[in-house]
Amino acid sequence: MARLLGLVTMLLMAVGTAHAQPQVPSIDDYAAMSNMTSVSLSPNGERIVFISGESRAERSIVVYSLVGEAPQVIDGGDDQVLAAVSWANDENLLATYSERRDIASMGERADVFRTYIIRADGSRNWELNQYASLANRDISDPDSMLVWLAVLQDNRGSRVGGDSVEQAVGLFRQEFSRDRARRRIFIGEGGYNYILNADNEPVVRYTNDDGEFELWANLDGSGWERVYNENLTRERFRFGARRSDRWTGRMTNMAGLDATGQYGYFTSRVNEDRSAVFRFNFETNEIEGPVVQSDLADVGSFIRDWRTNAIIGVSWNEERQHVEYFDETFAGIQSQLEGFFPDSNVSISSWDQEFRRVIISISGGQTSRSYYLLDRQSGEMAFLAGAYDRIPDESVAPVEIVHFEARDGLELFGYLTLPPGREASDLPLVMLPHGGPQARDFYGFDPWAQFLASRGYAVFQPQFRGSDGFGRNFITMAHGEWGRSMQDDVSDAVHHLVESGVADRDRVCLFGWSYGGYAALAGATLTPELYRCIIAGAPVSDVFSMMNYETGRFGGASVTYWAEYIGDWRSETEYITRISPALNAEDVQAPLMLVHGTDDLIVPFEQAEIMAEAMDAAGKPYELVAIEDGPHQSYRMTVDNVRELYTNLERFLFEHNPPDAN
């Protein structure tokens, strides 16, 4: 508690406050949780809420007053993971928790998210219906919010469903007093998704019924009119008796309307590859666009104005974050901020009802993450706090974007984090491929990369083929390429960094988590000559046994995904055997450390045990670090989990690849 209140006293410090030259932050400094995250401004602009606390037990919701009232600290609890918090109105908060529970109907354990309504003074809380989703925070009625809930509807005489009772969507006004204090506003027709206008009226609906997309509008209240339809193309993937379908077309969804209601925004793939932003003009009933697209990445993370639920812009990530606002006022602020922080990602993250006060988030450019408060009336911008105040800006390692070419000519890039104060020349290198594999890294402050850089290592995070966010073709070119071209991309990044003089050829180690852990073991068995040491975190070591696990979990719900990505492990046994590290343990040459949480539901701890047994059978030395009760996801890790990981990383690297000596 004292730590939290100490943080509160730091708020609204002047921009540019000087720091004394720091020592290298300790393991505890890096293992501590973020001081400030999920920062949100109240609708009246008088209070800020955020999550703080350096450990799971200390995690709390902090309500800080901008008008001189005492701060309020609400215990976040330590039996669940407090994931996010925001304002529902001026007196109530929406808090999202992640909880690990037994799913009785499935016979499985899983992580589920739950939403609570919490009074900002901490006096009361209750859980929102698990099936409710926020439709809008209605400023016309500050004592309630609008939520969508599934309802049963008699569809006799309707176009969809025939003479049957079918599930439809209902719009409800949810009071903040208790869960059941809600009243029905609107019941839709079964099979349709609805979109609200600025007055919270359902004026657009769409459906995808048996491969036909239909868009309907009722903008003037005269009745529903179908304004667009098309037959979609189905791409079907079969694996045994299972199948998965993907529908493609010019329009398959609609995200929302602009403030005027003239345009409806949606994403669609250009040439069946990268997603771009299009809009539907309800005056002409025509598709326009693409209005925003990228030559490198998918575009389509829409930005909404909470006051109207209108789409006002879009953000996406290429090598760096990009933001484009359709609203001129927001666009002007974004442009000015990007000029003020040219090396950072800049986000307008929260604003009040009058749009007088605005919270700005800054990441990258040698800051962990910083929050500022902009007063548009006075033009002043004040520093609120840094996300990791135990790691001052002077200790944040610089991040560079490095392009390289794969052996087949594919242009790739990655993020190079350099040890502070060191030139990018002849450095010890830690390769850090991401998990997923259908995921990606981002420009900015990466805690794992920053920790390793603080210990004297250059760290490279390659965006190998199969990484998410660069188009459909970039993903599909990785299908069936585990241990092949996906692994070659990691190796080619090593060769590039060595040949360009950044890395010492004899001082390269490989560390990854999840799929990155698999890539580490694959590097140890397929290209053992490249690496001086290997650290495999939560790795898949035996693809056959991992797929058996996936087949049994939740009725094999993810089996078609893995079959499409990896291949048919039932018939392609020679290939799967060759790329399964545990079946090739005799090829390991470098010192190996396995790190795995014992409560990992994504990649079971058994995978580390299988690799350990294979190393024993091959007579090869290794270490197995079992993180007791450790999860798979980093956001669920406790400070003790992270401390154990960092302690062993530092020890193992210092022993087998010292940063300042051969």
Side-chain angles (χ1 to χ4, degrees), residues 509 532-533 591-592 623 651-658 662:
C509 287
R532 182 162 172 169
C533 65
L592 168 65
E623 293 184 37
R651 174 189 57 77
F652 188 82
L653 285 169
F654 280 10
E655 178 180 354
H656 298 289
N657 192 18
N662 293 329

Side-chain angles (χ1 to χ4, degrees), residues 490-565:
V490 178
S491 301
D492 293 341
V494 174
H495 292 309
H496 174 81
L497 293 169
V498 169
E499 291 166 4
S500 62
V502 172
D504 184 332
R505 181 184 304 275
D506 298 321
R507 303 169 71 192
V508 181
C509 287
L510 180 54
F511 163 52
W513 194 270
S514 193
Y515 173 81
Y518 164 80
L521 291 181
T525 54
L526 296 172
T527 55
E529 71 283 355
L530 279 183
Y531 302 108
R532 182 162 172 169
C533 65
I534 302 291
I535 304 167
V540 174
S541 66
D542 182 341
V543 175
F544 293 109
S545 64
M546 183 66 199
M547 292 304 102
N548 286 338
Y549 176 79
E550 292 291 345
T551 301
R553 186 165 168 78
F554 293 112
S558 64
V559 164
T560 55
Y561 166 80
W562 289 114
E564 189 173 19
Y565 226 111

Side-chain angles (χ1 to χ4, degrees), residues 265 277 279 291-292 299 301-307 310-316 321-338 346-351 355 358-361:
Y265 287 95
V277 173
R279 67 187 185 189
V291 294
V292 184
V299 179
S301 181
F302 290 107
I303 304 169
R304 298 177 186 272
D305 188 338
W306 69 268
R307 300 169 297 177
I311 289 177
I312 57 172
V314 63
S315 68
W316 70 98
Q321 174 184 280
H322 292 260
V323 179
E324 182 168 329
Y325 280 103
F326 311 136
D327 180 281
E328 292 184 0
T329 302
F330 279 85
I333 295 173
Q334 181 73 26
S335 178
Q336 287 182 324
L337 290 169
E338 289 178 354
V346 180
S347 298
I348 303 172
S349 58
S350 182
W351 51 92
F355 200 45
V358 180
I359 291 178
I360 310 298
S361 170

Side-chain angles (χ1 to χ4, degrees), residues 312-430:
I312 57 172
V314 63
S315 68
W316 70 98
N317 283 275
E318 297 177 4
E319 293 102 336
R320 289 269 305 271
Q321 174 184 280
H322 292 260
V323 179
E324 182 168 329
Y325 280 103
F326 311 136
D327 180 281
E328 292 184 0
T329 302
F330 279 85
I333 295 173
Q334 181 73 26
S335 178
Q336 287 182 324
L337 290 169
E338 289 178 354
F340 193 57
F341 299 100
D343 298 325
S344 301
N345 292 334
V346 180
S347 298
I348 303 172
S349 58
S350 182
W351 51 92
D352 62 12
Q353 184 173 337
E354 300 299 326
F355 200 45
R356 183 171 71 86
R357 285 174 167 160
V358 180
I359 291 178
I360 310 298
S361 170
I362 309 296
S363 64
Q366 287 193 256
T367 179
S368 58
R369 181 176 292 275
S370 298
Y371 295 95
Y372 294 83
L373 181 67
L374 170 65
D375 189 316
R376 296 186 61 239
Q377 191 172 35
S378 67
E380 297 179 352
M381 189 163 69
F383 175 68
L384 291 174
Y388 299 92
D389 72 335
R390 294 174 62 165
I391 305 173
D393 289 350
E394 292 86 347
S395 295
V396 175
V399 179
E400 298 179 0
I401 297 163
V402 175
H403 293 86
F404 66 98
E405 185 176 293
R407 63 193 64 185
D408 61 359
L410 183 64
E411 294 292 331
L412 300 169
F413 78 95
Y415 300 103
L416 177 65
T417 305
L418 295 169
R422 299 281 297 275
E423 294 185 3
S425 177
D426 206 29
L427 294 171
L429 173 68
V430 176

